Amino acid sequence: MSNAAWLDRTRAAVWHPCTQMKHLEAVPPLPVARGEGPWLIDHDGRRYLDAISSWWVNLFGHAHPAINAAITDQLGKIEHVILAGCTHGPVVELSERLGQLTGLGHAFYGSDGASATEIALKMSFHYWRNRGRPEKTGFVSLRNGYHGETLGALSVTDVALFKDTYAPLLRQSHQVPTPDARRAAPGQSAEAVALEAAQALEAYLAEHAETTAALILEPLVQGAAGMAMYHPVYLARARALCDRYQVHLIDDEIAMGFGRTGTLFACEQAHIRPDFMCLSKGLTGGYLALSAVLTTDEVYAAFLDDDTARGFLHSHSYTGNPLACRAALAVLDLFESEDVLARNAARAARLTARLAELARHPRVRHFRHLGMIWAFDVAEAPTDFARDFHQGALAQGLFIRPMGASVYFMPPYVIEDPEMDLMADVTGRLLDRL
Ligand SMILES: *Cc1c(COP(=O)(O)O)cnc(C)c1O
């Protein structure tokens, strides 16, 4: 069947995410027939570079032989089983390995990122309640932060376009200033911006810690804010303040975990250990919906009791799905056997060099890079810039989705020089045409 036929059927039957369906006529989705490494291939055989890793989930490209083999092997054993009252090898092994990698134990599983946020918020609140502090019900998060779109997660998210409509349904939470380095005054360093933001956090906690359960934040990069990057000193200060004021630190590594920022987990760059870590997206290499919340022995211990209600009575049908856990184990194997972080550092240096010219383009502002993420803002971006840029790039074989006036590359960890050239060349040409 052709691209056009699939487009007709998708318009009639599918409600696409994060999409005004009325715009689907003008901006049709890409009908993907298959994937191969960093490439998406449509029904007419045309290839597109997946420069945003399929919404930040893909790590090692599409149809990776090792991940495919792990899932296929698991399919012949047990595809799924309830995790209340049962356990299985893949979930045990994954929990052990995530514990070793993070220094946090007892992984609790959900199906996607938003469910991990919900779990962490509920666990934090319930911890304080079990410890005799039921008044600690509040959450504080960063301005422009993003933690998912179910009602609880949206309550601590601060993206107006996603949040404002549903405001009457949401629980109040408080937002403190973001350490986003783009806020620097002329001559001010990223570190100074971060320290200033940390002072604002301190002022808030000094007044409200008694009623605050947790601070939730995206470490080093606020993805949905347009890949806003900030100095790691903010994380170090946030950790110290949370300790001082007895507030949990929830580290939402859903987008930034698994090597995206250059270290396996972003919080490592500030040498801190959070009270909760949320993982999803790259956890399965972008294969299957799985999320995990890891926490400290101290939090875990607060739930152990003869009283059932003091336990964490939360569940999702697909909690700890064996196929997803096997995909995640295959991902961890790849990190070990292929020295991914070191090879990414070399890969990133090549792409950064390749983008040097783009960084000097007269329309480019705040060119920034961390690990396997590159981003910049477009000065005087026309209305519909994101949409037009997306379509212009697609016509030249590049799949990319700017957020407002922020263009970013977040490619799978398998791109090589020709793909880097494509990203740089197509983007440069489109900027020239503005
Ligand atoms: C994507 C994302 C989420 C939500 O994950 P979903 O799987 O889309 O529900 C939460 N937090 C961060 C930082 C994210 O990037």
Side-chain angles (χ1 to χ4, degrees):
M1 204 155 57
S2 69
N3 282 342
W6 282 116
L7 284 178
D8 283 343
R9 289 173 62 180
T10 207
R11 277 189 201 103
V14 181
W15 198 333
H16 287 267
C18 204
T19 301
Q20 169 49 267
M21 292 297 287
K22 191 144 192 228
H23 294 162
L24 222 57
E25 207 68 46
V27 194
L30 177 64
V32 176
R34 57 198 185 85
E36 205 178 273
W39 298 96
L40 300 170
I41 301 159
D42 73 9
H43 292 271
D44 297 335
R46 272 193 296 268
R47 298 160 74 84
Y48 306 85
L49 182 67
D50 187 356
I52 59 166
S53 296
S54 291
W55 241 351
W56 324 347
V57 300
N58 191 286
L59 298 186
F60 298 111
H62 298 280
H64 191 284
I67 307 175
N68 286 9
I71 295 171
T72 311
D73 178 66
Q74 186 59 39
L75 264 177
K77 294 175 175 159
I78 176 80
E79 75 300 326
H80 184 68
V81 63
I82 176 175
L83 197 65
C86 291
T87 191
H88 52 81
V91 80
V92 173
E93 275 184 47
L94 180 60
S95 306
E96 289 171 352
R97 287 176 71 176
L98 290 175
Q100 282 156 11
L101 291 168
T102 60
L104 296 166
H106 286 101
F108 194 100
Y109 292 90
S111 315
D112 47 36
S115 61
T117 300
E118 302 286 346
I119 289 162
L121 297 177
K122 283 176 71 177
M123 255 187 197
S124 172
F125 159 76
H126 197 167
Y127 166 90
W128 293 116
R129 188 183 159 89
N130 282 351
R131 284 279 185 248
R133 308 280 304 273
E135 71 286 357
K136 283 169 88 69
T137 58
F139 296 105
V140 55
S141 61
L142 303 191
R143 218 155 274 154
N144 306 330
Y146 181 89
H147 301 287
E149 298 177 48
T150 52
L151 293 178
L154 196 56
S155 293
V156 291
T157 286
D158 185 42
V159 179
L161 184 62
F162 303 151
K163 188 171 188 177
D164 285 358
T165 307
Y166 307 102
L169 305 182
L170 302 178
R171 210 175 159 272
Q172 287 296 315
S173 72
H174 186 80
Q175 277 69 52
V176 287
T178 165
D180 182 349
R182 291 177 299 185
R183 295 174 63 233
Q188 195 185 20
S189 68
E191 186 172 7
V193 176
L195 290 170
E196 218 171 76
Q199 273 175 8
L201 173 63
E202 170 153 30
Y204 180 79
L205 292 179
E207 204 168 325
H208 300 281
E210 289 297 307
T211 52
T212 302
L215 163 69
I216 181 167
L217 50 71
E218 295 162 90
L220 301 187
V221 184
Q222 293 183 288
M227 298 299 155
M229 299 184 182
Y230 65 86
H231 194 281
V233 74
Y234 186 82
L235 289 180
R237 287 292 167 101
R239 174 69 278 178
L241 291 169
C242 285
D243 284 340
R244 186 175 335 142
Y245 289 100
Q246 296 200 325
V247 165
H248 286 141
L249 176 58
I250 303 174
D251 176 25
D252 178 354
E253 300 248 1
I254 289 167
M256 294 305 140
F258 299 99
R260 204 35 94 172
T261 64
T263 43
L264 191 60
F265 300 108
C267 66
E268 294 169 24
Q269 295 183 41
H271 312 287
I272 60 153
R273 196 186 67 165
D275 300 293
F276 298 89
M277 187 188 286
C278 300
L279 301 173
S280 188
K281 291 202 167 106
L283 174 58
T284 62
Y287 267 66
L288 287 159
L290 180 71
S291 62
V293 178
L294 304 164
T295 188
T296 60
D297 292 345
E298 159 67 13
V299 168
Y300 179 72
F303 290 79
L304 292 179
D305 199 276
D306 291 328
D307 179 4
T308 304
R310 285 173 67 102
F312 191 59
L313 307 185
H314 179 104
S315 64
H316 297 282
S317 304
Y318 285 98
T319 293
N321 175 262
L323 295 170
C325 289
R326 280 296 297 276
L329 286 166
V331 164
L332 294 181
D333 287 344
L334 285 169
F335 271 100
E336 278 177 20
S337 64
E338 302 201 340
D339 201 10
V340 171
L341 297 177
R343 287 168 74 172
N344 273 357
R347 192 174 264 120
R350 280 177 4 245
L351 182 51
T352 300
R354 187 66 190 77
L355 295 175
E357 201 182 322
L358 194 70
R360 289 191 302 267
H361 193 284
R363 299 298 282 267
V364 169
R365 298 287 182 278
H366 298 299
F367 184 90
R368 49 200 182 270
H369 159 236
L370 183 68
M372 288 294 286
I373 308 169
W374 292 260
F376 60 86
D377 303 337
V378 175
E380 292 137 47
T383 357
D384 289 336
F385 165 77
R387 190 206 287 194
D388 295 345
F389 193 92
H390 166 74
Q391 289 202 287
L394 205 58
Q396 300 182 58
L398 179 65
F399 184 83
I400 189 169
R401 283 170 60 102
M403 293 182 276
S406 298
V407 176
Y408 71 96
F409 306 115
M410 201 157 157
Y413 305 163
V414 292
I415 52 154
E416 298 299 344
D417 292 5
E419 286 95 55
M420 296 180 191
D421 289 344
L422 181 76
M423 286 192 280
D425 294 346
V426 170
T427 304
R429 278 200 294 273
L430 289 171
L431 289 182
D432 288 343
R433 264 205 249 145
L434 282 180

